[in-house]
């Protein structure tokens, strides 16, 4: 079985980082490859960039139809282009927001999304409502400062995310946290054992959801465990 991870931004380094994390999650259960958007922005920071990312993802449809993967992951928090690909491909197409929020909400948990991009808060909340999780999503906690500057400093990014996550638990009562963004995946892993509630890494969550969907469709004897 083969899963294709799509990075809707143009940053090839981010693609490689997300692919490595996805590979750790999938183990030997499937093979992975990746595609990077051919146009758009290296970091999706607002709704205009998210819309362009959706267009970039949709242009990959002919490539996917030719390569025929068994599953597709949309690795940007907003799932740009997911609905379009789902309509045209027979395989499961899973977004990291879709998977991350669903995993955070398991068992009726209330959750917060923690991210770096203030101009995407409205889109994130709309995404939660679109997946039927608006009542469980307590809101979005933001890191301070410019997202691009934070992304250039791994230590500062991890610390800023930690502060926002801690506030989500202490002030908002979050019972789980979703780290809202594919490019934040490495920092999300570093935070997982520093908080008293589950911290959902969206890329591995999407891998688990794809594998679970393949099991449901009878396409593999996978062992899938929620985070």
């Amino acid at each position: 079985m083969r899963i294709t991870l799509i990075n809707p931004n143009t940053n090839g380094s981010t693609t490689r980082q997300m692919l490595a994390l996805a590979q750790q999650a999938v183990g030997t259960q499937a093979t992975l490859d990746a595609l990077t958007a051919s146009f758009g922005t290296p970091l999706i920071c607002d709704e205009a960039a998210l819309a362009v990312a959706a267009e970039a993802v949709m242009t990959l449809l002919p490539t996917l139809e030719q390569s025929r993967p068994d599953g597709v992951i949309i690795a940007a928090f907003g799932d740009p282009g997911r609905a379009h690909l789902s309509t045209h491909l027979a395989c499961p197409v899973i977004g990291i927001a879709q998977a991350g929020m669903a995993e955070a909400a398991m068992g009726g948990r209330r959750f917060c999304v923690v991210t770096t991009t203030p101009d995407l808060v409205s889109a994130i909340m709309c995404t939660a409502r679109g997946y039927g999780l608006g009542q469980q999503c307590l809101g979005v906690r933001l890191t301070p400062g410019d997202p691009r500057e934070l992304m250039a400093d791994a230590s500062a990014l991890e610390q800023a995310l930690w502060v926002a996550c801690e506030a989500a638990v202490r002030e908002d009562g979050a019972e789980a946290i979703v780290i809202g963004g594919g490019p934040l995946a490495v920092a999300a892993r570093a935070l997982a054992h520093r908080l008293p509630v589950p911290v959902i890494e969206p890329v591995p969550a999407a891998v688990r959801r794809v594998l679970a969907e393949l099991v449901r469709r009878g396409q593999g004897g996978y062992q899938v465990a929620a985070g």
Side-chain angles (χ1 to χ4, degrees), residues 43 114-118 141-143 145-147 150-151 157 161 180 184:
L43 186 63
V114 173
T115 190
T116 61
T117 48
R141 278 280 176 174
L142 295 165
T143 56
D146 183 274
L150 274 180
M151 291 302 300
L157 174 61
L161 287 171
L184 308 179

Side-chain angles (χ1 to χ4, degrees), residues 45-220:
C45 291
D46 55 39
E47 293 190 37
L50 190 65
V52 173
E55 294 175 13
V57 168
M58 289 187 284
T59 66
L60 295 172
L61 179 60
T63 299
L64 294 166
E65 288 176 328
Q66 184 174 20
S67 63
R68 300 180 67 182
D70 298 289
V72 173
I73 293 171
I74 308 297
F77 207 82
D79 304 344
R82 187 198 69 83
H84 180 82
L85 294 190
S86 294
T87 300
H88 291 86
L89 296 174
C91 68
V93 180
I94 303 299
I96 64 170
Q98 175 190 26
M101 289 180 177
E103 201 164 286
M106 288 177 62
R109 290 185 301 212
R110 298 180 302 162
F111 65 91
C112 281
V113 176
V114 173
T115 190
T116 61
T117 48
D119 291 334
L120 286 174
V121 169
S122 178
I124 289 170
M125 293 305 298
C126 183
T127 297
R129 291 190 292 270
Y131 289 133
L133 299 172
Q135 294 300 311
Q136 287 174 255
C137 183
L138 296 170
V140 179
R141 278 280 176 174
L142 295 165
T143 56
D146 183 274
R148 295 171 186 84
E149 293 179 5
L150 274 180
M151 291 302 300
D153 185 336
S155 178
L157 174 61
E158 182 182 333
Q159 180 60 26
L161 287 171
W162 154 252
V163 170
C165 287
E166 196 276 335
V169 174
R170 176 171 46 84
E171 299 178 22
D172 302 331
E175 298 165 313
I177 290 170
V178 185
I179 301 298
L184 308 179
V186 174
R189 175 145 301 182
L191 295 171
H193 303 294
R194 297 179 60 188
L195 290 157
V197 302
V199 178
I200 308 302
E201 305 171 52
V203 172
V207 170
R208 289 188 286 269
R209 191 173 177 107
V210 168
L211 294 178
E213 180 61 21
L214 290 173
V215 169
R216 190 187 70 79
R217 297 185 185 194
Q219 291 180 247

